[in-house]
Amino acid sequence: EPNGEVITRMELDRRMYKEAFANILREPLKFLLSSPLGFLRLNAPVNYGGQETMHLFWGTKLFGSEYATIAVILAIRLIWFIFLGIVFWMLIRHLPRWHTQWGLLLFFVIYTNFMYGLLTHAEARYIFTMMPLYFILFTEGGRYMLRNAYD
């Protein structure tokens, strides 16, 4: 506090939530328009430390030159977004079957992405809980592509 008052973590959180909620009410359109950016940040490729991979090579020369480092980062992102594309393709493909065994899985994936992407600061580490479901959907996509490749 500017006046030297010491506050607890809970009090700071309460004040910050109050201020954030007031900002959302004052500018709801800006809040909703910035939400897809949270979705992209939430679904960014992560390293084992739970951070986005853009932090993985920060300030390093592991690959000899900046161009090689850029190429590695772009390759990681390309592979990751192909993975996510297949995951979300299968998610959309299974939406008409929401009342079957896919329903709970689809609900959890959509709900988690919506809530973390919209209502939090959408750190990439939050997606770790979703990874098993992403792998199930990715595997289903691989099975679908293989099955149709030989027809």
Side-chain angles (χ1 to χ4, degrees), residues 98-138:
W98 64 269
H99 58 283
T100 65
Q101 69 271 17
W102 290 100
L104 187 59
L105 181 135
L106 299 177
F107 172 76
F108 189 63
V109 169
I110 293 168
Y111 176 81
T112 303
N113 273 284
F114 180 77
M115 295 307 281
Y116 280 133
L118 183 67
L119 299 178
T120 70
H121 52 284
E123 287 188 31
R125 63 189 167 103
Y126 295 158
I127 208 67
F128 276 137
T129 58
M130 300 299 299
M131 291 310 289
L133 303 180
Y134 279 15
F135 286 127
I136 290 170
L137 288 166
F138 178 78

Side-chain angles (χ1 to χ4, degrees), residues 55-102:
H55 299 293
L56 186 61
F57 304 113
W58 191 265
T60 65
K61 298 252 185 187
L62 291 176
F63 303 105
S65 72
E66 289 110 15
Y67 297 113
T69 303
I70 290 170
V72 168
I73 292 172
L74 288 176
I76 290 170
R77 286 202 174 263
L78 178 66
I79 292 166
W80 178 255
F81 286 123
I82 289 171
F83 170 79
L84 281 182
I86 293 170
V87 167
F88 287 111
W89 172 52
M90 282 293 108
L91 183 101
I92 291 167
R93 193 170 179 285
H94 284 297
L95 274 177
R97 292 187 285 281
W98 64 269
H99 58 283
T100 65
Q101 69 271 17
W102 290 100

Side-chain angles (χ1 to χ4, degrees), residues 27-38:
E27 299 275 353
L29 186 61
K30 187 186 287 186
F31 173 72
L32 289 174
L33 289 176
S34 67
S35 296
L37 298 175

